[in-house]
Amino acid sequence: MPKLLQLIPEYHARVWGGRRLPPGGASRTEAGSQPIGEAWLVYESNRVAAGEWAGRTLAELSAALGAELLGEAALRRTGTRFPLLIKLLDCADWLSIQVHPNDEQAIRRHGPGSFGKTEAWHILAADPGARLIAGVRPGATPGELASAIRTGAILDWVQYHSVRAGDTLYVPAGTVHALGPGLFLYEIQQTSDLTYRVFDWNRPASAGRALHIEESVMAANAALAGERRPAPRLGPNDTQRLVACDYFTLDLVAGAGEPSQAGTRGEGCHALTVIDGRVEVACGDECLALQPFETVLIPAAAGAYQLRPLGSFRLLRGSPAP
């Protein structure tokens, strides 16, 4: 089994997308002049770039390797489905105000094998004054929130948050939210793309951008608001836990000078995405150098690996919850 898996990103055009993607001007997978809003870095549809599994999807690897790739905890939680979706998002305009179902709601609405969508964002760049929406104003009742969704008055009820590079937000399923213009961010979430649109800023209701009013009423939780966590202070060789929840963990790792040791301990796969600088990842007899916004997936069974700074680096490490 390979110990370092590099996946081919998938780029998706979005009406709200900007010009930061693909990083370095790589070729796009969606033709035309539409702005690219999302880069899907790690998901079950991504294909392996090289090696004995080249061309195979992560879904195929998950089915074939099971706990060796995913870890036992993820296998219990999501079976052989790959448990995470990791993206980069480039927002030049407001995304729709939306909400995601939890696991129970997803199964009830979409059938067995469906999953909810709890997520977290790490802000990579933010224009001056950049804002996002996470949650509704304190004291709002479920009835008031349902009425606001049904009557199109949601803008009168949402909470706006100013953010800057380095901030992290945890957004549990049921949180009404939207990303604003001038944001470039990393997102980690459950293996689900279930999204209910509450309000789309009066854009035309074109194919693929319909509103989901009754689904949103079902899923929206008036008591939830995103938790904003300011950028942690990191030493030259340091790791800080940014998010830990029932579905995933997210760590910020910094390195400079001497190599550092890390490992999966067999608990779950590690997805490493460089956000600044360069680093060489070594595991067994395999080695891979990563540039900014490149990602490597390390299977749960790979065990110990080494991070060798090529100057200095910062990376985000996402993993299924142990």
Side-chain angles (χ1 to χ4, degrees), residues 136-137 140-157 176 198-199 213-214 216-218 220 222:
V136 295
R137 66 193 192 197
T141 67
E144 289 171 329
L145 178 55
S147 177
I149 292 171
R150 288 185 172 124
T151 61
I154 193 65
L155 288 177
D156 297 330
W157 292 86
V176 175
V198 178
F199 178 72
I213 300 302
E214 293 307 314
S216 297
V217 169
M218 172 199 70

mmCIF file with all atom_site columns, all heavy atoms in Angstrom, residues 136-137 140-157 176 198-199 213-214 216-218 220 222:
data_model
loop_
_atom_site.group_PDB
_atom_site.id
_atom_site.type_symbol
_atom_site.label_atom_id
_atom_site.label_alt_id
_atom_site.label_comp_id
_atom_site.label_asym_id
_atom_site.label_entity_id
_atom_site.label_seq_id
_atom_site.pdbx_PDB_ins_code
_atom_site.Cartn_x
_atom_site.Cartn_y
_atom_site.Cartn_z
_atom_site.occupancy
_atom_site.B_iso_or_equiv
_atom_site.pdbx_formal_charge
_atom_site.auth_seq_id
_atom_site.auth_comp_id
_atom_site.auth_asym_id
_atom_site.auth_atom_id
_atom_site.pdbx_PDB_model_num
ATOM 1   N N   . VAL A 1 136 ? -27.801 33.210 13.844 1.00 0.00 ? 136 VAL A N   1
ATOM 2   C CA  . VAL A 1 136 ? -28.805 34.271 13.885 1.00 0.00 ? 136 VAL A CA  1
ATOM 3   C C   . VAL A 1 136 ? -28.679 35.012 15.204 1.00 0.00 ? 136 VAL A C   1
ATOM 4   O O   . VAL A 1 136 ? -28.002 34.564 16.126 1.00 0.00 ? 136 VAL A O   1
ATOM 5   C CB  . VAL A 1 136 ? -30.228 33.714 13.687 1.00 0.00 ? 136 VAL A CB  1
ATOM 6   C CG1 . VAL A 1 136 ? -30.373 33.117 12.296 1.00 0.00 ? 136 VAL A CG1 1
ATOM 7   C CG2 . VAL A 1 136 ? -30.572 32.658 14.735 1.00 0.00 ? 136 VAL A CG2 1
ATOM 8   N N   . ARG A 1 137 ? -29.328 36.153 15.279 1.00 0.00 ? 137 ARG A N   1
ATOM 9   C CA  . ARG A 1 137 ? -29.121 37.015 16.436 1.00 0.00 ? 137 ARG A CA  1
ATOM 10  C C   . ARG A 1 137 ? -29.578 36.335 17.715 1.00 0.00 ? 137 ARG A C   1
ATOM 11  O O   . ARG A 1 137 ? -30.553 35.561 17.719 1.00 0.00 ? 137 ARG A O   1
ATOM 12  C CB  . ARG A 1 137 ? -29.810 38.357 16.238 1.00 0.00 ? 137 ARG A CB  1
ATOM 13  C CG  . ARG A 1 137 ? -31.308 38.321 16.189 1.00 0.00 ? 137 ARG A CG  1
ATOM 14  C CD  . ARG A 1 137 ? -31.842 39.650 15.668 1.00 0.00 ? 137 ARG A CD  1
ATOM 15  N NE  . ARG A 1 137 ? -33.283 39.775 15.853 1.00 0.00 ? 137 ARG A NE  1
ATOM 16  C CZ  . ARG A 1 137 ? -34.028 40.646 15.221 1.00 0.00 ? 137 ARG A CZ  1
ATOM 17  N NH1 . ARG A 1 137 ? -33.469 41.461 14.329 1.00 0.00 ? 137 ARG A NH1 1
ATOM 18  N NH2 . ARG A 1 137 ? -35.329 40.722 15.442 1.00 0.00 ? 137 ARG A NH2 1
ATOM 19  N N   . ALA A 1 140 ? -33.325 34.754 19.181 1.00 0.00 ? 140 ALA A N   1
ATOM 20  C CA  . ALA A 1 140 ? -34.291 34.376 18.149 1.00 0.00 ? 140 ALA A CA  1
ATOM 21  C C   . ALA A 1 140 ? -34.919 33.027 18.491 1.00 0.00 ? 140 ALA A C   1
ATOM 22  O O   . ALA A 1 140 ? -34.230 32.092 18.903 1.00 0.00 ? 140 ALA A O   1
ATOM 23  C CB  . ALA A 1 140 ? -33.617 34.318 16.782 1.00 0.00 ? 140 ALA A CB  1
ATOM 24  N N   . THR A 1 141 ? -36.219 32.926 18.323 1.00 0.00 ? 141 THR A N   1
ATOM 25  C CA  . THR A 1 141 ? -36.906 31.670 18.602 1.00 0.00 ? 141 THR A CA  1
ATOM 26  C C   . THR A 1 141 ? -36.992 30.828 17.336 1.00 0.00 ? 141 THR A C   1
ATOM 27  O O   . THR A 1 141 ? -36.882 31.351 16.220 1.00 0.00 ? 141 THR A O   1
ATOM 28  C CB  . THR A 1 141 ? -38.330 31.931 19.117 1.00 0.00 ? 141 THR A CB  1
ATOM 29  O OG1 . THR A 1 141 ? -39.102 32.509 18.051 1.00 0.00 ? 141 THR A OG1 1
ATOM 30  C CG2 . THR A 1 141 ? -38.312 32.887 20.315 1.00 0.00 ? 141 THR A CG2 1
ATOM 31  N N   . PRO A 1 142 ? -37.207 29.526 17.472 1.00 0.00 ? 142 PRO A N   1
ATOM 32  C CA  . PRO A 1 142 ? -37.395 28.694 16.272 1.00 0.00 ? 142 PRO A CA  1
ATOM 33  C C   . PRO A 1 142 ? -38.526 29.199 15.384 1.00 0.00 ? 142 PRO A C   1
ATOM 34  O O   . PRO A 1 142 ? -38.416 29.177 14.151 1.00 0.00 ? 142 PRO A O   1
ATOM 35  C CB  . PRO A 1 142 ? -37.695 27.311 16.846 1.00 0.00 ? 142 PRO A CB  1
ATOM 36  C CG  . PRO A 1 142 ? -36.998 27.304 18.175 1.00 0.00 ? 142 PRO A CG  1
ATOM 37  C CD  . PRO A 1 142 ? -37.143 28.699 18.701 1.00 0.00 ? 142 PRO A CD  1
ATOM 38  N N   . GLY A 1 143 ? -39.608 29.667 15.981 1.00 0.00 ? 143 GLY A N   1
ATOM 39  C CA  . GLY A 1 143 ? -40.718 30.177 15.191 1.00 0.00 ? 143 GLY A CA  1
ATOM 40  C C   . GLY A 1 143 ? -40.350 31.435 14.424 1.00 0.00 ? 143 GLY A C   1
ATOM 41  O O   . GLY A 1 143 ? -40.745 31.602 13.255 1.00 0.00 ? 143 GLY A O   1
ATOM 42  N N   . GLU A 1 144 ? -39.609 32.330 15.071 1.00 0.00 ? 144 GLU A N   1
ATOM 43  C CA  . GLU A 1 144 ? -39.178 33.546 14.387 1.00 0.00 ? 144 GLU A CA  1
ATOM 44  C C   . GLU A 1 144 ? -38.226 33.233 13.243 1.00 0.00 ? 144 GLU A C   1
ATOM 45  O O   . GLU A 1 144 ? -38.306 33.841 12.166 1.00 0.00 ? 144 GLU A O   1
ATOM 46  C CB  . GLU A 1 144 ? -38.512 34.495 15.389 1.00 0.00 ? 144 GLU A CB  1
ATOM 47  C CG  . GLU A 1 144 ? -39.497 35.125 16.365 1.00 0.00 ? 144 GLU A CG  1
ATOM 48  C CD  . GLU A 1 144 ? -38.808 35.872 17.480 1.00 0.00 ? 144 GLU A CD  1
ATOM 49  O OE1 . GLU A 1 144 ? -37.688 35.462 17.875 1.00 0.00 ? 144 GLU A OE1 1
ATOM 50  O OE2 . GLU A 1 144 ? -39.394 36.843 17.988 1.00 0.00 ? 144 GLU A OE2 1
ATOM 51  N N   . LEU A 1 145 ? -37.328 32.279 13.460 1.00 0.00 ? 145 LEU A N   1
ATOM 52  C CA  . LEU A 1 145 ? -36.403 31.894 12.402 1.00 0.00 ? 145 LEU A CA  1
ATOM 53  C C   . LEU A 1 145 ? -37.149 31.258 11.237 1.00 0.00 ? 145 LEU A C   1
ATOM 54  O O   . LEU A 1 145 ? -36.890 31.570 10.063 1.00 0.00 ? 145 LEU A O   1
ATOM 55  C CB  . LEU A 1 145 ? -35.338 30.940 12.950 1.00 0.00 ? 145 LEU A CB  1
ATOM 56  C CG  . LEU A 1 145 ? -34.316 30.409 11.947 1.00 0.00 ? 145 LEU A CG  1
ATOM 57  C CD1 . LEU A 1 145 ? -33.616 31.546 11.208 1.00 0.00 ? 145 LEU A CD1 1
ATOM 58  C CD2 . LEU A 1 145 ? -33.294 29.510 12.641 1.00 0.00 ? 145 LEU A CD2 1
ATOM 59  N N   . ALA A 1 146 ? -38.099 30.381 11.536 1.00 0.00 ? 146 ALA A N   1
ATOM 60  C CA  . ALA A 1 146 ? -38.885 29.744 10.466 1.00 0.00 ? 146 ALA A CA  1
ATOM 61  C C   . ALA A 1 146 ? -39.644 30.791 9.658  1.00 0.00 ? 146 ALA A C   1
ATOM 62  O O   . ALA A 1 146 ? -39.683 30.730 8.419  1.00 0.00 ? 146 ALA A O   1
ATOM 63  C CB  . ALA A 1 146 ? -39.847 28.716 11.062 1.00 0.00 ? 146 ALA A CB  1
ATOM 64  N N   . SER A 1 147 ? -40.220 31.767 10.335 1.00 0.00 ? 147 SER A N   1
ATOM 65  C CA  . SER A 1 147 ? -40.947 32.825 9.638  1.00 0.00 ? 147 SER A CA  1
ATOM 66  C C   . SER A 1 147 ? -40.016 33.651 8.765  1.00 0.00 ? 147 SER A C   1
ATOM 67  O O   . SER A 1 147 ? -40.367 33.996 7.617  1.00 0.00 ? 147 SER A O   1
ATOM 68  C CB  . SER A 1 147 ? -41.657 33.725 10.652 1.00 0.00 ? 147 SER A CB  1
ATOM 69  O OG  . SER A 1 147 ? -42.313 34.793 10.011 1.00 0.00 ? 147 SER A OG  1
ATOM 70  N N   . ALA A 1 148 ? -38.825 33.968 9.271  1.00 0.00 ? 148 ALA A N   1
ATOM 71  C CA  . ALA A 1 148 ? -37.859 34.759 8.502  1.00 0.00 ? 148 ALA A CA  1
ATOM 72  C C   . ALA A 1 148 ? -37.431 34.016 7.236  1.00 0.00 ? 148 ALA A C   1
ATOM 73  O O   . ALA A 1 148 ? -37.254 34.617 6.169  1.00 0.00 ? 148 ALA A O   1
ATOM 74  C CB  . ALA A 1 148 ? -36.646 35.086 9.370  1.00 0.00 ? 148 ALA A CB  1
ATOM 75  N N   . ILE A 1 149 ? -37.262 32.702 7.340  1.00 0.00 ? 149 ILE A N   1
ATOM 76  C CA  . ILE A 1 149 ? -36.884 31.902 6.171  1.00 0.00 ? 149 ILE A CA  1
ATOM 77  C C   . ILE A 1 149 ? -38.015 31.893 5.153  1.00 0.00 ? 149 ILE A C   1
ATOM 78  O O   . ILE A 1 149 ? -37.797 32.096 3.950  1.00 0.00 ? 149 ILE A O   1
ATOM 79  C CB  . ILE A 1 149 ? -36.514 30.470 6.604  1.00 0.00 ? 149 ILE A CB  1
ATOM 80  C CG1 . ILE A 1 149 ? -35.213 30.476 7.426  1.00 0.00 ? 149 ILE A CG1 1
ATOM 81  C CG2 . ILE A 1 149 ? -36.368 29.556 5.378  1.00 0.00 ? 149 ILE A CG2 1
ATOM 82  C CD1 . ILE A 1 149 ? -34.883 29.137 8.075  1.00 0.00 ? 149 ILE A CD1 1
ATOM 83  N N   . ARG A 1 150 ? -39.233 31.703 5.626  1.00 0.00 ? 150 ARG A N   1
ATOM 84  C CA  . ARG A 1 150 ? -40.364 31.563 4.695  1.00 0.00 ? 150 ARG A CA  1
ATOM 85  C C   . ARG A 1 150 ? -40.747 32.882 4.024  1.00 0.00 ? 150 ARG A C   1
ATOM 86  O O   . ARG A 1 150 ? -41.251 32.882 2.899  1.00 0.00 ? 150 ARG A O   1
ATOM 87  C CB  . ARG A 1 150 ? -41.561 30.996 5.453  1.00 0.00 ? 150 ARG A CB  1
ATOM 88  C CG  . ARG A 1 150 ? -41.410 29.523 5.820  1.00 0.00 ? 150 ARG A CG  1
ATOM 89  C CD  . ARG A 1 150 ? -42.662 28.976 6.466  1.00 0.00 ? 150 ARG A CD  1
ATOM 90  N NE  . ARG A 1 150 ? -42.582 27.529 6.637  1.00 0.00 ? 150 ARG A NE  1
ATOM 91  C CZ  . ARG A 1 150 ? -42.734 26.901 7.803  1.00 0.00 ? 150 ARG A CZ  1
ATOM 92  N NH1 . ARG A 1 150 ? -42.961 27.599 8.914  1.00 0.00 ? 150 ARG A NH1 1
ATOM 93  N NH2 . ARG A 1 150 ? -42.650 25.586 7.869  1.00 0.00 ? 150 ARG A NH2 1
ATOM 94  N N   . THR A 1 151 ? -40.518 34.004 4.710  1.00 0.00 ? 151 THR A N   1
ATOM 95  C CA  . THR A 1 151 ? -40.939 35.303 4.163  1.00 0.00 ? 151 THR A CA  1
ATOM 96  C C   . THR A 1 151 ? -39.807 36.051 3.471  1.00 0.00 ? 151 THR A C   1
ATOM 97  O O   . THR A 1 151 ? -40.019 37.168 2.984  1.00 0.00 ? 151 THR A O   1
ATOM 98  C CB  . THR A 1 151 ? -41.510 36.183 5.280  1.00 0.00 ? 151 THR A CB  1
ATOM 99  O OG1 . THR A 1 151 ? -40.486 36.427 6.272  1.00 0.00 ? 151 THR A OG1 1
ATOM 100 C CG2 . THR A 1 151 ? -42.712 35.515 5.943  1.00 0.00 ? 151 THR A CG2 1
ATOM 101 N N   . GLY A 1 152 ? -38.599 35.457 3.418  1.00 0.00 ? 152 GLY A N   1
ATOM 102 C CA  . GLY A 1 152 ? -37.480 36.129 2.778  1.00 0.00 ? 152 GLY A CA  1
ATOM 103 C C   . GLY A 1 152 ? -36.879 37.247 3.598  1.00 0.00 ? 152 GLY A C   1
ATOM 104 O O   . GLY A 1 152 ? -36.160 38.110 3.067  1.00 0.00 ? 152 GLY A O   1
ATOM 105 N N   . ALA A 1 153 ? -37.119 37.224 4.920  1.00 0.00 ? 153 ALA A N   1
ATOM 106 C CA  . ALA A 1 153 ? -36.630 38.289 5.804  1.00 0.00 ? 153 ALA A CA  1
ATOM 107 C C   . ALA A 1 153 ? -35.387 37.880 6.573  1.00 0.00 ? 153 ALA A C   1
ATOM 108 O O   . ALA A 1 153 ? -35.047 38.506 7.580  1.00 0.00 ? 153 ALA A O   1
ATOM 109 C CB  . ALA A 1 153 ? -37.738 38.696 6.779  1.00 0.00 ? 153 ALA A CB  1
ATOM 110 N N   . ILE A 1 154 ? -34.681 36.868 6.115  1.00 0.00 ? 154 ILE A N   1
ATOM 111 C CA  . ILE A 1 154 ? -33.568 36.319 6.891  1.00 0.00 ? 154 ILE A CA  1
ATOM 112 C C   . ILE A 1 154 ? -32.463 37.349 7.137  1.00 0.00 ? 154 ILE A C   1
ATOM 113 O O   . ILE A 1 154 ? -31.768 37.294 8.162  1.00 0.00 ? 154 ILE A O   1
ATOM 114 C CB  . ILE A 1 154 ? -33.006 35.052 6.200  1.00 0.00 ? 154 ILE A CB  1
ATOM 115 C CG1 . ILE A 1 154 ? -32.070 34.280 7.131  1.00 0.00 ? 154 ILE A CG1 1
ATOM 116 C CG2 . ILE A 1 154 ? -32.316 35.409 4.892  1.00 0.00 ? 154 ILE A CG2 1
ATOM 117 C CD1 . ILE A 1 154 ? -32.738 33.698 8.338  1.00 0.00 ? 154 ILE A CD1 1
ATOM 118 N N   . LEU A 1 155 ? -32.284 38.315 6.245  1.00 0.00 ? 155 LEU A N   1
ATOM 119 C CA  . LEU A 1 155 ? -31.225 39.307 6.434  1.00 0.00 ? 155 LEU A CA  1
ATOM 120 C C   . LEU A 1 155 ? -31.431 40.134 7.698  1.00 0.00 ? 155 LEU A C   1
ATOM 121 O O   . LEU A 1 155 ? -30.472 40.705 8.239  1.00 0.00 ? 155 LEU A O   1
ATOM 122 C CB  . LEU A 1 155 ? -31.127 40.230 5.220  1.00 0.00 ? 155 LEU A CB  1
ATOM 123 C CG  . LEU A 1 155 ? -30.552 39.621 3.943  1.00 0.00 ? 155 LEU A CG  1
ATOM 124 C CD1 . LEU A 1 155 ? -30.587 40.636 2.809  1.00 0.00 ? 155 LEU A CD1 1
ATOM 125 C CD2 . LEU A 1 155 ? -29.122 39.126 4.165  1.00 0.00 ? 155 LEU A CD2 1
ATOM 126 N N   . ASP A 1 156 ? -32.655 40.211 8.175  1.00 0.00 ? 156 ASP A N   1
ATOM 127 C CA  . ASP A 1 156 ? -32.929 40.960 9.397  1.00 0.00 ? 156 ASP A CA  1
ATOM 128 C C   . ASP A 1 156 ? -32.548 40.182 10.654 1.00 0.00 ? 156 ASP A C   1
ATOM 129 O O   . ASP A 1 156 ? -32.592 40.747 11.760 1.00 0.00 ? 156 ASP A O   1
ATOM 130 C CB  . ASP A 1 156 ? -34.418 41.324 9.468  1.00 0.00 ? 156 ASP A CB  1
ATOM 131 C CG  . ASP A 1 156 ? -34.852 42.240 8.341  1.00 0.00 ? 156 ASP A CG  1
ATOM 132 O OD1 . ASP A 1 156 ? -34.006 43.024 7.868  1.00 0.00 ? 156 ASP A OD1 1
ATOM 133 O OD2 . ASP A 1 156 ? -36.030 42.160 7.930  1.00 0.00 ? 156 ASP A OD2 1
ATOM 134 N N   . TRP A 1 157 ? -32.181 38.923 10.512 1.00 0.00 ? 157 TRP A N   1
ATOM 135 C CA  . TRP A 1 157 ? -31.979 38.062 11.672 1.00 0.00 ? 157 TRP A CA  1
ATOM 136 C C   . TRP A 1 157 ? -30.567 37.497 11.789 1.00 0.00 ? 157 TRP A C   1
ATOM 137 O O   . TRP A 1 157 ? -30.193 36.989 12.846 1.00 0.00 ? 157 TRP A O   1
ATOM 138 C CB  . TRP A 1 157 ? -32.984 36.902 11.627 1.00 0.00 ? 157 TRP A CB  1
ATOM 139 C CG  . TRP A 1 157 ? -34.382 37.368 11.829 1.00 0.00 ? 157 TRP A CG  1
ATOM 140 C CD1 . TRP A 1 157 ? -35.241 37.838 10.875 1.00 0.00 ? 157 TRP A CD1 1
ATOM 141 C CD2 . TRP A 1 157 ? -35.085 37.451 13.068 1.00 0.00 ? 157 TRP A CD2 1
ATOM 142 N NE1 . TRP A 1 157 ? -36.438 38.194 11.442 1.00 0.00 ? 157 TRP A NE1 1
ATOM 143 C CE2 . TRP A 1 157 ? -36.374 37.964 12.791 1.00 0.00 ? 157 TRP A CE2 1
ATOM 144 C CE3 . TRP A 1 157 ? -34.749 37.118 14.390 1.00 0.00 ? 157 TRP A CE3 1
ATOM 145 C CZ2 . TRP A 1 157 ? -37.328 38.170 13.785 1.00 0.00 ? 157 TRP A CZ2 1
ATOM 146 C CZ3 . TRP A 1 157 ? -35.704 37.319 15.383 1.00 0.00 ? 157 TRP A CZ3 1
ATOM 147 C CH2 . TRP A 1 157 ? -36.966 37.844 15.079 1.00 0.00 ? 157 TRP A CH2 1
ATOM 148 N N   . VAL A 1 176 ? -27.174 28.621 10.361 1.00 0.00 ? 176 VAL A N   1
ATOM 149 C CA  . VAL A 1 176 ? -27.413 29.456 9.187  1.00 0.00 ? 176 VAL A CA  1
ATOM 150 C C   . VAL A 1 176 ? -26.134 30.242 8.900  1.00 0.00 ? 176 VAL A C   1
ATOM 151 O O   . VAL A 1 176 ? -25.569 30.869 9.795  1.00 0.00 ? 176 VAL A O   1
ATOM 152 C CB  . VAL A 1 176 ? -28.596 30.412 9.429  1.00 0.00 ? 176 VAL A CB  1
ATOM 153 C CG1 . VAL A 1 176 ? -28.767 31.375 8.259  1.00 0.00 ? 176 VAL A CG1 1
ATOM 154 C CG2 . VAL A 1 176 ? -29.878 29.624 9.667  1.00 0.00 ? 176 VAL A CG2 1
ATOM 155 N N   . VAL A 1 198 ? -31.244 29.189 1.732  1.00 0.00 ? 198 VAL A N   1
ATOM 156 C CA  . VAL A 1 198 ? -32.269 30.004 2.383  1.00 0.00 ? 198 VAL A CA  1
ATOM 157 C C   . VAL A 1 198 ? -32.556 31.260 1.565  1.00 0.00 ? 198 VAL A C   1
ATOM 158 O O   . VAL A 1 198 ? -33.700 31.635 1.351  1.00 0.00 ? 198 VAL A O   1
ATOM 159 C CB  . VAL A 1 198 ? -31.806 30.399 3.800  1.00 0.00 ? 198 VAL A CB  1
ATOM 160 C CG1 . VAL A 1 198 ? -32.839 31.289 4.486  1.00 0.00 ? 198 VAL A CG1 1
ATOM 161 C CG2 . VAL A 1 198 ? -31.518 29.161 4.642  1.00 0.00 ? 198 VAL A CG2 1
ATOM 162 N N   . PHE A 1 199 ? -31.490 31.918 1.084  1.00 0.00 ? 199 PHE A N   1
ATOM 163 C CA  . PHE A 1 199 ? -31.587 33.192 0.366  1.00 0.00 ? 199 PHE A CA  1
ATOM 164 C C   . PHE A 1 199 ? -30.370 33.323 -0.532 1.00 0.00 ? 199 PHE A C   1
ATOM 165 O O   . PHE A 1 199 ? -29.249 33.041 -0.111 1.00 0.00 ? 199 PHE A O   1
ATOM 166 C CB  . PHE A 1 199 ? -31.646 34.349 1.375  1.00 0.00 ? 199 PHE A CB  1
ATOM 167 C CG  . PHE A 1 199 ? -31.699 35.717 0.753  1.00 0.00 ? 199 PHE A CG  1
ATOM 168 C CD1 . PHE A 1 199 ? -32.841 36.157 0.110  1.00 0.00 ? 199 PHE A CD1 1
ATOM 169 C CD2 . PHE A 1 199 ? -30.600 36.572 0.816  1.00 0.00 ? 199 PHE A CD2 1
ATOM 170 C CE1 . PHE A 1 199 ? -32.894 37.434 -0.459 1.00 0.00 ? 199 PHE A CE1 1
ATOM 171 C CE2 . PHE A 1 199 ? -30.648 37.839 0.253  1.00 0.00 ? 199 PHE A CE2 1
ATOM 172 C CZ  . PHE A 1 199 ? -31.794 38.271 -0.390 1.00 0.00 ? 199 PHE A CZ  1
ATOM 173 N N   . ILE A 1 213 ? -36.729 26.107 0.856  1.00 0.00 ? 213 ILE A N   1
ATOM 174 C CA  . ILE A 1 213 ? -37.312 26.803 1.996  1.00 0.00 ? 213 ILE A CA  1
ATOM 175 C C   . ILE A 1 213 ? -37.737 25.843 3.108  1.00 0.00 ? 213 ILE A C   1
ATOM 176 O O   . ILE A 1 213 ? -37.325 25.985 4.267  1.00 0.00 ? 213 ILE A O   1
ATOM 177 C CB  . ILE A 1 213 ? -38.500 27.675 1.541  1.00 0.00 ? 213 ILE A CB  1
ATOM 178 C CG1 . ILE A 1 213 ? -38.029 28.719 0.517  1.00 0.00 ? 213 ILE A CG1 1
ATOM 179 C CG2 . ILE A 1 213 ? -39.152 28.349 2.759  1.00 0.00 ? 213 ILE A CG2 1
ATOM 180 C CD1 . ILE A 1 213 ? -36.928 29.635 1.003  1.00 0.00 ? 213 ILE A CD1 1
ATOM 181 N N   . GLU A 1 214 ? -38.532 24.843 2.808  1.00 0.00 ? 214 GLU A N   1
ATOM 182 C CA  . GLU A 1 214 ? -39.011 23.951 3.870  1.00 0.00 ? 214 GLU A CA  1
ATOM 183 C C   . GLU A 1 214 ? -37.881 23.076 4.416  1.00 0.00 ? 214 GLU A C   1
ATOM 184 O O   . GLU A 1 214 ? -37.852 22.765 5.607  1.00 0.00 ? 214 GLU A O   1
ATOM 185 C CB  . GLU A 1 214 ? -40.183 23.103 3.371  1.00 0.00 ? 214 GLU A CB  1
ATOM 186 C CG  . GLU A 1 214 ? -41.428 23.923 3.080  1.00 0.00 ? 214 GLU A CG  1
ATOM 187 C CD  . GLU A 1 214 ? -41.833 24.809 4.269  1.00 0.00 ? 214 GLU A CD  1
ATOM 188 O OE1 . GLU A 1 214 ? -41.857 24.317 5.407  1.00 0.00 ? 214 GLU A OE1 1
ATOM 189 O OE2 . GLU A 1 214 ? -42.127 26.003 4.036  1.00 0.00 ? 214 GLU A OE2 1
ATOM 190 N N   . SER A 1 216 ? -34.833 24.097 4.680  1.00 0.00 ? 216 SER A N   1
ATOM 191 C CA  . SER A 1 216 ? -34.081 25.012 5.542  1.00 0.00 ? 216 SER A CA  1
ATOM 192 C C   . SER A 1 216 ? -34.778 25.191 6.887  1.00 0.00 ? 216 SER A C   1
ATOM 193 O O   . SER A 1 216 ? -34.126 25.224 7.937  1.00 0.00 ? 216 SER A O   1
ATOM 194 C CB  . SER A 1 216 ? -33.920 26.372 4.850  1.00 0.00 ? 216 SER A CB  1
ATOM 195 O OG  . SER A 1 216 ? -33.173 26.259 3.660  1.00 0.00 ? 216 SER A OG  1
ATOM 196 N N   . VAL A 1 217 ? -36.112 25.308 6.860  1.00 0.00 ? 217 VAL A N   1
ATOM 197 C CA  . VAL A 1 217 ? -36.856 25.420 8.120  1.00 0.00 ? 217 VAL A CA  1
ATOM 198 C C   . VAL A 1 217 ? -36.616 24.189 8.985  1.00 0.00 ? 217 VAL A C   1
ATOM 199 O O   . VAL A 1 217 ? -36.428 24.284 10.203 1.00 0.00 ? 217 VAL A O   1
ATOM 200 C CB  . VAL A 1 217 ? -38.362 25.609 7.826  1.00 0.00 ? 217 VAL A CB  1
ATOM 201 C CG1 . VAL A 1 217 ? -39.184 25.463 9.103  1.00 0.00 ? 217 VAL A CG1 1
ATOM 202 C CG2 . VAL A 1 217 ? -38.602 26.979 7.190  1.00 0.00 ? 217 VAL A CG2 1
ATOM 203 N N   . MET A 1 218 ? -36.617 23.013 8.350  1.00 0.00 ? 218 MET A N   1
ATOM 204 C CA  . MET A 1 218 ? -36.371 21.774 9.090  1.00 0.00 ? 218 MET A CA  1
ATOM 205 C C   . MET A 1 218 ? -34.983 21.761 9.728  1.00 0.00 ? 218 MET A C   1
ATOM 206 O O   . MET A 1 218 ? -34.813 21.370 10.892 1.00 0.00 ? 218 MET A O   1
ATOM 207 C CB  . MET A 1 218 ? -36.502 20.577 8.145  1.00 0.00 ? 218 MET A CB  1
ATOM 208 C CG  . MET A 1 218 ? -36.090 19.246 8.756  1.00 0.00 ? 218 MET A CG  1
ATOM 209 S SD  . MET A 1 218 ? -35.723 17.969 7.523  1.00 0.00 ? 218 MET A SD  1
ATOM 210 C CE  . MET A 1 218 ? -34.204 18.566 6.791  1.00 0.00 ? 218 MET A CE  1
ATOM 211 N N   . ALA A 1 220 ? -32.584 24.377 10.143 1.00 0.00 ? 220 ALA A N   1
ATOM 212 C CA  . ALA A 1 220 ? -32.013 25.542 10.824 1.00 0.00 ? 220 ALA A CA  1
ATOM 213 C C   . ALA A 1 220 ? -32.263 25.489 12.330 1.00 0.00 ? 220 ALA A C   1
ATOM 214 O O   . ALA A 1 220 ? -33.375 25.214 12.781 1.00 0.00 ? 220 ALA A O   1
ATOM 215 C CB  . ALA A 1 220 ? -32.589 26.825 10.236 1.00 0.00 ? 220 ALA A CB  1
ATOM 216 N N   . ALA A 1 222 ? -31.980 27.807 15.641 1.00 0.00 ? 222 ALA A N   1
ATOM 217 C CA  . ALA A 1 222 ? -31.845 29.198 16.079 1.00 0.00 ? 222 ALA A CA  1
ATOM 218 C C   . ALA A 1 222 ? -30.817 29.368 17.181 1.00 0.00 ? 222 ALA A C   1
ATOM 219 O O   . ALA A 1 222 ? -30.315 30.481 17.408 1.00 0.00 ? 222 ALA A O   1
ATOM 220 C CB  . ALA A 1 222 ? -33.202 29.737 16.538 1.00 0.00 ? 222 ALA A CB  1
#
